[in-house]
Amino acid sequence: MTTSDTDLKLWYTTPAQAWTNALPIGNGRLGAMVFGGVTQERLQLNEDTLWSGVPRQWNNAKALDALPEVRRLVLAGRYAEANELTKQMQGLYTESYQPMADLLLDFPAVSREHITDYYRDLDLDRAIATTRYRKEGATYTREVFSSFPDQVIVMRITCDQSGKLTFTARLDCLHPYTMHTDATTLILRGRAPSHVVPSYLQAENPITYDEHEGIGFEVQVRCVVNGGTLSADSDKLNITGADSVLLLLSAGTSFAGYDKHPVRDGKDQAVAASQALQAALMQPYEVLQQRHLEDHQRLFRRVTLDLGSSAYAALPTDERLMQCRLDQSLSLDAYLVAARIKHDPQMEMLLFQYGRYLLIASSRPGTQPANLQGIWNDMIRPPWSANYTLNINAEMNYWMAESANLAECHSPLFDFIAGLSLTGSKTAHLHYGARGWVAHHNSDVWRHSAPVGETKGSPTWANWQMGGAWLCQHLWEHYLFSEDIDFLRDEAYPLMKGAAEFLLDTLVEDGAGHLVTLPSTSPELEFWDAEHQPVAVSMASTMDNAITWELFTACIEACHLLDTDAVFAQQLANARNQLYPYQIGARGQLQEWFKDFDEVEPHHRHMSHLFGLHPGRQILFDDAPELIRAIRTTLDIRGDLSTGWSLAWKINHWARLRNGDRAYALVRYLLTIIDTSQMNYSEGGGVYSNLFDAHPPFQIDGNFGATAGMTEMLMQSHGGFIHLLPALPDTWAAGSVTGLRARGGFEVDLTWAQQRVTRAVIRSSKGNMCRVRVEGALTVQRDGQETIETTQTGNVIAFNTEAGAAYTLVTS
């Protein structure tokens, strides 16, 4: 097998022995983990609306009573007492994302020595998982994909010798279920729990089932055989002597919306499952596959990346990861030297494109947004409930949606925000007496908006109230990239305005001329108070101030663009001017809190106070040298090694600091292979053999964040101009990328050699003035022919564009 055959494939020479060895497929709604076994194939199945619970009253009616005293205690410097009282503002915990079922194919037993040429892969370009092996002179092949156009999972099983396919097909499930068959179809019907206690809490009965409460679901599998015979038992289908077999799997749930009871007001899951199945049966396999390929490749092929290759590319994925593993105890300089020696640039490209693949597979128009695990989960009590964690993780999932040219995949998050604004308006009123809407650090399919904890949770994570404001950044970013004024007017701005109204109503005067958030925390990190007690609650945390600045600024700009709400925009501008300013601490670091408190965990995984650098735009590299130095110091204090998703965030930070080698070191840290048994995040993050990000355990945000960070290394546009190669590491001396998107309605192709741009093509969709920063002299040609006039200020050239035209930049 040549290197080019495997450029966009994860491939292996043994079946998956654990869930984090299996390969993910998905269509945004239906997901499966494909194990590729010989005597038993397993497809572990998920459906994105299958969660525990029902719509509930999660707010705490007594929260508002505690708020004035919490504020008084903080202003008096009595942080430990405020910390304890803030717990009285907590509501219920969120529910948990659920596994659906397993499709199991049982083949005749065979000794290992009779199996040769075993191979399995996931082709990112085709979004098809393949398993192939030879047994007794015959070659057996299985292909499986999850189709977005046809809303089914499709598996085709073939053999190059007639009459060789004999196996049974059955379904299994962790939830209570009933099973029946007809002549050609397996049908499993079950119900998700009515409540699941989060996995990190001890409970006598953590999983509760109630036939009148939980979401119902149904899985249908139709078997179509060519040659041989097909028969049915009560719980399985028997295939004997077939030439080829087609399995079509469909599923539906009774989920009818975040505000609908899934039993009393739910959908008929049987109808949902059977409609898609019957429609797919009308198409031959070749048509189903072609429709799937056209849909997937329309998105996936928008962006290409070439960083070169090496001999490692000829190895299976797991072996490559092991071969390129580096000693993390090395100094940074020594680590980078070792990384140049064991350099696998094609694996780095694969990591980049895998993030794009996973977003296509887990987030499509009309689906739920990708959760902590995308759409893949095999546990009733998954880590952190596999929910939407809004203090970094859910947002990280979508950082690259616009820049990596998958804007359509962003839309489920926008739908989620719209629902959350409605539930969050009740929480804003009941918990804070405020207008607008609020979300805290956790949410779920029911659009949970209250602080979780049930009066016992640590405020350091439970009582952070900036989730809604942060989510609004995604609405504004979508506008900045697309300049879709209808989207801004009809969808984005009303949601942004509501989140800003909440902040306006809850900002408090601190007695020194500032408006501050109060209570305030810096997500998941405590500080030492004067009595050396670990506490979380104070006021005006740096992250709160940065998010508030970001939202107010976006709303002010939106008001000008839409020519609306001038009085409101002025209110925001006045409040923005009174926000607590950035502070530099005694160690030269950017302070995380309004005072120079010492953090309880100096090497903590969160870097919340750096929001203004990334994903924000308040701290720009060229405009704030003192803050930039403080941020560098902060990152040095935190250290590089951490959880998988934290490594990904640091890639983005160092890219914004224009330090390509430091960002690259973090890419390599992230490509550290983690044993499947490792579940303790204190051991450090990396990837599993299937390239799933390891917190550990698995969290998909690290995959998405790595793709975003690598994009930032190659191109940035948040500073008012397109910056080509802002953080290129020495190891990427030559390469090319196509299809990246920049703010202002631009799409960029880029080629470089000896770490300098040699050619760029910029396509303009809106006809805006284009500003480009690049090292060296460039000439600009329209449509590759006419040289056009440019102006230059420093390293930034500017030229006018027309919508639909392409502009080629070449070295002079």
Side-chain angles (χ1 to χ4, degrees):
M1 182 171 295
T2 66
T3 298
S4 60
D5 291 333
T6 60
D7 277 356
L8 288 167
K9 292 179 180 178
L10 285 67
W11 67 281
Y12 309 83
T13 56
T14 57
Q17 300 301 314
W19 191 84
T20 47
N21 303 143
L23 297 172
I25 60 171
N27 64 9
R29 183 181 70 90
L30 279 176
M33 296 294 287
V34 183
F35 281 68
V38 173
T39 57
Q40 183 183 80
E41 173 63 286
R42 177 189 177 195
L43 267 63
Q44 187 272 312
L45 304 167
N46 290 101
E47 205 274 357
D48 74 332
T49 64
L50 190 62
W51 289 66
S52 63
V54 297
R56 299 180 295 164
Q57 171 51 263
W58 48 65
N59 294 311
N60 182 345
K62 297 181 179 179
L64 189 57
D65 295 338
L67 182 58
E69 181 64 6
V70 168
R71 287 174 169 167
R72 188 189 71 81
L73 289 169
V74 168
L75 289 170
R78 295 159 63 179
Y79 305 119
E81 295 173 68
N83 199 82
E84 192 63 28
L85 184 58
T86 302
K87 297 177 183 179
Q88 299 308 308
M89 300 179 67
Q90 296 171 1
L92 301 181
Y93 284 99
T94 62
E95 292 296 341
S96 299
Y97 184 54
Q98 293 298 295
M100 184 169 61
D102 284 359
L103 172 62
L104 301 171
L105 309 182
D106 296 308
F107 296 87
V110 60
S111 60
R112 183 174 299 178
E113 59 267 22
H114 290 147
I115 301 298
T116 61
D117 301 331
Y118 179 89
Y119 172 88
R120 68 183 174 102
D121 76 24
L122 174 64
D123 187 333
L124 304 186
D125 181 58
R126 300 172 72 233
I128 295 177
T130 299
T131 302
R132 185 172 60 247
Y133 55 88
R134 288 181 61 78
K135 182 181 74 169
E136 297 172 349
T139 299
Y140 296 79
T141 304
R142 298 193 291 267
E143 289 188 325
V144 57
F145 58 88
S146 186
S147 168
F148 179 72
D150 291 294
Q151 289 297 304
V152 291
I153 292 175
V154 180
M155 177 185 281
R156 188 188 192 197
I157 308 172
T158 61
C159 181
D160 64 354
Q161 295 183 16
S162 301
K164 290 283 190 176
L165 294 177
T166 296
F167 64 94
T168 63
R170 57 192 174 91
L171 289 165
D172 198 5
C173 184
L174 294 177
H175 305 299
Y177 69 94
T178 60
M179 182 76 208
H180 68 278
T181 64
D182 62 22
T184 60
T185 308
L186 298 168
I187 302 174
L188 181 149
R189 174 169 285 206
R191 189 169 300 282
S194 57
H195 180 59
V196 171
V197 176
S199 60
Y200 47 85
L201 296 179
Q202 297 294 321
E204 187 174 338
N205 296 299
I207 303 168
T208 305
Y209 289 96
D210 184 334
E211 62 180 317
H212 303 296
E213 289 296 312
I215 295 176
F217 62 94
E218 182 161 309
V219 184
Q220 298 183 8
V221 180
R222 176 68 64 90
C223 181
V224 180
V225 300
N226 177 29
T229 62
L230 172 64
S231 63
D233 293 336
S234 61
D235 61 350
K236 63 184 177 181
L237 299 175
N238 306 297
I239 297 91
T240 306
D243 300 332
S244 65
V245 178
L246 178 65
L247 296 173
L248 299 177
L249 185 150
S250 180
T253 78
S254 65
F255 180 81
Y258 69 89
D259 56 349
K260 302 289 193 302
H261 194 284
V263 178
R264 296 191 296 268
D265 308 311
K267 293 180 179 179
D268 186 328
Q269 58 263 39
V271 171
S274 61
Q275 284 180 340
L277 186 63
Q278 293 303 315
L281 282 166
M282 303 298 291
Q283 305 292 336
Y285 173 78
E286 292 74 15
V287 172
L288 291 171
Q289 186 190 77
Q290 187 59 33
R291 283 165 53 82
H292 161 72
L293 290 174
E294 289 174 357
D295 168 74
H296 173 75
Q297 290 173 347
R298 176 181 58 86
L299 297 171
F300 186 79
R301 288 185 173 179
R302 289 175 180 171
V303 174
T304 67
L305 176 62
D306 182 2
L307 298 173
S309 190
S310 72
Y312 293 114
L315 298 174
T317 303
D318 50 348
E319 293 183 30
R320 290 169 72 181
L321 290 168
M322 290 299 298
Q323 288 285 332
C324 293
R325 186 169 183 168
L326 300 174
D327 182 357
Q328 294 185 347
S329 67
L330 294 173
S331 68
L332 177 63
D333 289 342
Y335 188 88
L336 288 169
V337 170
R340 283 192 286 272
I341 295 170
K342 290 187 173 183
H343 188 208
D344 187 352
Q346 193 268 345
M347 175 61 79
E348 293 151 17
M349 179 278 292
L350 196 64
L351 178 69
F352 171 88
Q353 290 286 26
Y354 193 43
R356 296 183 68 251
Y357 167 85
L358 290 171
L359 191 62
I360 295 169
S362 63
S363 184
R364 292 292 202 102
T367 72
Q368 302 301 310
N371 62 49
L372 270 177
Q373 297 187 183
I375 55 170
W376 300 280
N377 167 45
D378 65 338
M379 303 179 191
I380 296 177
R381 300 179 73 198
W384 302 287
S385 303
N387 62 19
Y388 302 106
T389 304
L390 304 182
N391 65 13
I392 175 64
N393 314 93
E395 292 88 354
M396 183 182 282
N397 284 1
Y398 288 91
W399 282 348
M400 58 90 166
E402 302 293 334
S403 59
N405 216 333
L406 294 174
E408 298 94 327
C409 298
H410 216 165
S411 66
L413 185 67
F414 304 154
D415 296 338
F416 175 84
I417 297 169
L420 193 60
S421 73
L422 298 177
T423 58
S425 66
K426 297 177 182 177
T427 303
H429 175 69
L430 290 172
H431 280 241
Y432 301 94
R435 297 173 299 160
W437 66 279
V438 65
H440 295 79
H441 107 291
N442 272 171
S443 191
D444 57 21
V445 76
W446 309 110
R447 309 313 189 240
H448 190 293
S449 55
V452 302
E454 298 178 4
T455 72
K456 300 179 182 64
S458 172
T460 189
W461 40 266
N463 290 88
W464 180 80
Q465 74 269 30
M466 303 299 290
W470 189 348
L471 286 170
C472 285
Q473 186 192 33
H474 287 262
L475 301 166
W476 180 240
E477 285 285 284
H478 181 69
Y479 169 75
L480 292 179
F481 278 89
S482 68
E483 296 203 351
D484 183 343
I485 199 71
D486 293 332
F487 169 81
L488 179 64
R489 180 184 59 249
D490 300 335
E491 297 183 51
Y493 177 66
L495 297 171
M496 293 161 57
K497 181 180 180 180
E501 285 176 330
F502 170 79
L503 290 176
L504 278 179
D505 283 5
T506 54
L507 288 171
V508 175
E509 292 187 4
D510 69 346
H514 303 118
L515 291 176
V516 299
T517 51
L518 204 174
S520 176
T521 65
S522 193
E524 305 193 28
L525 182 58
E526 295 174 310
F527 60 86
W528 299 111
D529 71 1
E531 286 73 41
H532 206 66
Q533 300 176 87
V535 295
V537 175
S538 65
M539 64 183 181
S541 75
T542 302
M543 181 186 230
D544 285 6
N545 302 332
I547 292 176
T548 303
W549 185 96
E550 197 79 23
L551 177 59
F552 284 7
T553 301
C555 285
I556 291 166
E557 293 177 12
C559 289
H560 294 328
L561 287 164
L562 298 172
D563 192 22
T564 189
D565 284 345
V567 173
F568 179 63
Q570 189 59 54
Q571 291 174 334
L572 294 175
N574 293 340
R576 183 180 62 178
N577 290 337
Q578 292 180 263
L579 294 175
Y580 207 89
Y582 286 105
Q583 302 290 317
I584 297 175
R587 293 169 289 171
Q589 89 287 8
L590 190 70
Q591 283 185 197
E592 191 153 358
W593 297 274
F594 82 108
K595 287 187 175 181
D596 194 8
F597 297 120
D598 287 333
E599 59 271 31
V600 172
E601 299 176 67
H603 305 301
H604 196 262
R605 59 196 175 274
H606 283 257
M607 291 146 295
S608 306
H609 49 318
L610 307 189
F611 182 98
L613 176 72
H614 182 277
R617 55 180 172 138
Q618 185 180 8
I619 302 175
L620 299 176
F621 184 89
D622 295 316
D623 298 344
E626 290 187 4
L627 293 179
I628 291 296
R629 283 194 295 271
I631 288 171
R632 287 197 193 99
T633 300
T634 299
L635 286 168
D636 286 337
I637 292 171
R638 278 290 204 267
D640 287 342
L641 295 179
S642 190
T643 63
W645 66 263
S646 181
L647 294 172
W649 197 358
K650 291 171 186 173
I651 296 169
N652 287 270
H653 282 138
W654 284 108
R656 288 275 173 101
L657 292 173
R658 302 181 186 171
N659 189 327
D661 284 344
R662 190 73 174 264
Y664 175 75
L666 288 152
V667 173
R668 291 299 300 267
Y669 288 138
L670 188 58
L671 282 170
T672 300
I673 189 169
I674 300 296
D675 186 87
T676 56
S677 64
Q678 186 171 324
M679 297 291 285
N680 182 0
Y681 71 78
S682 66
E683 297 176 38
V687 293
Y688 295 107
S689 66
N690 66 357
L691 290 189
F692 267 175
D693 169 67
H695 183 291
F698 165 51
Q699 274 189 205
I700 203 167
D701 44 2
N703 291 107
F704 296 139
T707 300
M710 294 172 75
T711 303
E712 292 274 335
M713 293 167 71
L714 298 171
M715 186 194 72
Q716 297 173 17
S717 63
H718 64 287
F721 52 84
I722 299 171
H723 192 169
L724 304 178
L725 304 183
L728 191 71
D730 289 345
T731 45
W732 296 352
S736 65
V737 65
T738 66
L740 298 183
R741 293 176 72 231
R743 294 164 183 83
F746 298 105
E747 187 173 299
V748 179
D749 301 343
L750 183 60
T751 303
W752 67 94
Q754 297 179 332
Q755 296 190 303
R756 297 177 70 88
V757 174
T758 56
R759 185 174 187 272
V761 177
I762 299 177
R763 290 174 289 278
S764 174
S765 65
K766 294 296 180 179
N768 288 323
M769 171 75 74
C770 184
R771 296 177 176 84
V772 182
R773 174 170 177 153
V774 65
E775 302 301 325
L778 293 175
T779 59
V780 181
Q781 298 175 337
R782 175 175 169 162
D783 297 325
Q785 297 176 350
E786 174 192 1
T787 299
I788 65 170
E789 183 179 349
T790 65
T791 59
Q792 185 161 351
T793 304
N795 290 326
V796 177
I797 63 170
F799 53 92
N800 293 315
T801 72
E802 292 186 15
Y807 299 84
T808 302
L809 287 66
V810 295
T811 53
S812 302

